[in-house]
Amino acid sequence: MSTAAECEGPATVVFDESLTQYNFGPEHPMSPIRVDLTMRLAREVGVFDHHLRIVDAPLASDDLLATIHGDQLIEAVKRMGHNPGPGEEHFGLGTDDNPVFLGMHEASAHVVGASHEAFRQVWSGESLHSANITGGLHHAMRDRASGFCIYNDIAVGIQWLLDQGAERVAYVDVDVHHGDGVEKIFWDDPRVLTISLHETGQMLFPGTGFPIDLGGPDAEGTAVNVALPPGTSDAGWLRAFHAVVPALLREFDPDVLVTQHGCDSHADDPLAHLMLSVDGQRAAYLALHELAHEVADGKWVVTGGGGYALVEVVPRAWTHLLSIVGGRPLDPLLETPGGWREHVREQLGRGAPHRLTDGRTPAFRRWEEGYDPDTWLDRAIHATRMEAFPLHGLDPQP
């Protein structure tokens, strides 16, 4: 099986314009304009011209949602969405993070339905890779909305894979925030490996995701967390990724690789403190694509996630992501189309980037070349390896 960046397998992105109805209002940082700008940019640079096909996004049924979420949460989301007013904060609704809005249940169920279709595409063999950039709502818990996330589309999709007979599913989360909802939902399930690389919870919401968090008694080692120091840039992030993720995925040998691609790790993101470039994020996407081919015969389900630099980062990062899902990575030196930049100016009154990347070279030093205990980054990597690797029969030492 080829592990080259280019691949010939059928690939899909699940999307229709109504997915932008997942909208907490004009003052909320997670504006759906980021999705519109991504799809518009991807279309203008030709991402959908060849191997990446757009398929419609269905609405998730209550029965599908109930494979993960409690009936009381689902009813509360429906109730609040039909008659928005004072929230029900014990369900995480009506908070600053999750304000209620008209049609909230339908919009949230639509995101879940879109991700479920991406999972179905891959498991059925209709697609080798499939993506839903509006998905990746990784903070939602079984009985509570959290962190801009009403329902947990990723967890619904992973549970569906298990119910279809998948024996092992690996989940890698590269959002700047810890993937706490997915981890907690599968905390006691040894069939699901969750790996999250995020800014340390000492500094950032949700305040969780440390190396000692390893999973429940019957699934110890299947939760893996890399808690990165603020200020980590491309070289440090990629060093951490390659020191932890490939070895664990190879050992776990999943049937399907599921990845969440919040791009709020970028230096320009207003809500966090990592310092990646679009070039570094693109390098991570390429690495995950290759790992999907190496460990899961190419079966790769991709979601979006966070990302709040709505013009400067998200459209460029996710356009690269979609091009990689489609098996035709874009040239990092490519310019953004003038028509797209003009649309941004007309709609938002703002300038847009002229290049698809930030012009960086995402080089890094491999872990095998030496460990420096005087650096916070290396201590963080070392802590994760020491805690998690022995539970998988791996040597944690360089």
Side-chain angles (χ1 to χ4, degrees):
M1 174 64 71
S2 171
T3 62
E6 294 194 8
C7 70
E8 298 295 332
T12 47
V13 56
V14 186
F15 183 75
D16 65 57
E17 297 292 341
S18 61
L19 283 164
T20 58
Q21 292 171 4
Y22 190 85
N23 186 353
F24 292 111
E27 304 305 316
H28 196 279
M30 197 167 82
S31 169
I33 190 68
R34 66 196 191 129
V35 174
D36 173 72
L37 292 179
T38 297
M39 294 300 287
R40 191 178 293 268
L41 178 58
R43 186 172 285 110
E44 289 198 27
V45 296
V47 169
F48 306 127
D49 290 351
H50 301 291
H51 284 74
L52 189 64
R53 182 169 55 92
I54 299 175
V55 297
D56 288 338
L59 194 72
S61 68
D62 286 3
D63 286 344
L64 182 61
L65 295 173
T67 61
I68 292 297
H69 294 293
D71 292 341
Q72 288 186 326
L73 174 63
I74 297 169
E75 290 305 316
V77 175
K78 288 182 177 179
R79 188 164 56 247
M80 292 288 94
H82 288 157
N83 186 23
E88 299 190 24
E89 293 197 8
H90 55 291
F91 289 119
L93 302 172
T95 64
D96 289 344
D97 278 358
N98 300 311
V100 298
F101 61 93
L102 192 65
M104 181 167 58
H105 167 76
E106 291 76 14
S108 303
H110 201 181
V111 172
V112 176
S115 287
H116 174 254
E117 175 61 16
F119 279 85
R120 192 199 66 78
Q121 286 276 332
V122 170
W123 187 248
S124 69
E126 292 176 44
S127 298
L128 189 60
H129 314 325
S130 189
N132 171 25
I133 59 166
T134 67
L137 305 180
H138 61 164
H139 294 307
M141 301 292 177
R142 287 192 184 274
D143 296 305
R144 179 170 53 85
S146 176
F148 311 166
C149 307
I150 305 300
Y151 299 137
N152 196 315
D153 61 295
I154 303 163
V156 170
I158 291 173
Q159 185 62 55
W160 182 84
L161 287 178
L162 298 174
D163 293 342
Q164 298 303 304
E167 295 181 359
R168 291 173 307 283
V169 179
Y171 169 69
V172 179
D173 186 320
V174 302
D175 195 289
V176 79
H177 301 91
H178 175 223
D180 58 335
V182 181
E183 178 186 277
K184 184 165 182 146
I185 287 166
F186 297 107
W187 184 255
D188 294 304
D189 195 330
R191 299 172 295 174
V192 181
L193 172 68
T194 65
I195 306 175
S196 179
L197 295 92
H198 49 268
E199 184 179 344
T200 175
Q202 294 172 278
M203 305 291 180
L204 194 67
F205 175 90
T208 54
F210 297 99
I212 59 171
D213 300 322
L214 294 162
D218 295 325
E220 196 175 19
T222 58
V224 178
N225 289 288
V226 186
L228 298 166
T232 299
S233 60
D234 292 343
W237 194 98
L238 290 166
R239 176 169 167 80
F241 177 94
H242 286 282
V244 172
V245 176
L248 289 169
L249 290 182
R250 290 168 185 145
E251 185 64 28
F252 191 70
D253 190 27
D255 298 319
V256 180
L257 177 63
V258 181
T259 55
Q260 195 267 21
H261 294 269
C263 53
D264 39 9
S265 58
H266 194 278
D268 290 342
D269 195 90
L271 299 189
H273 317 100
L274 297 191
M275 299 293 289
L276 272 71
S277 67
V278 170
D279 306 82
Q281 293 173 329
R282 178 179 180 273
Y285 307 159
L286 288 167
L288 286 165
H289 175 234
E290 293 219 356
L291 283 165
H293 281 277
E294 180 182 347
V295 305
D297 292 329
K299 297 183 182 68
W300 187 29
V301 181
V302 170
T303 72
Y308 310 101
L310 306 176
V311 173
E312 299 84 355
V313 176
V314 181
R316 295 187 298 152
W318 285 353
T319 292
H320 280 294
L321 176 63
L322 289 175
S323 75
I324 293 164
V325 170
R328 292 293 182 274
L330 291 167
D331 183 344
L333 299 179
L334 198 64
E335 289 196 353
T336 56
W340 180 78
R341 296 197 301 270
E342 183 58 29
H343 174 77
V344 171
R345 186 171 299 281
E346 289 176 356
Q347 293 297 309
L348 302 174
R350 297 165 59 178
H354 281 250
R355 278 209 306 194
L356 270 180
T357 63
D358 297 322
R360 308 286 176 82
T361 300
F364 66 97
R365 189 168 69 95
R366 292 194 172 273
W367 187 252
E368 295 77 12
E369 297 175 16
Y371 157 54
D372 183 358
D374 290 333
T375 67
W376 186 353
L377 173 72
D378 275 14
R379 291 196 303 272
I381 297 168
H382 181 68
T384 297
R385 287 172 60 101
M386 291 298 290
E387 294 288 349
F389 274 34
L391 297 171
H392 292 267
L394 297 170
D395 184 357
Q397 300 295 339

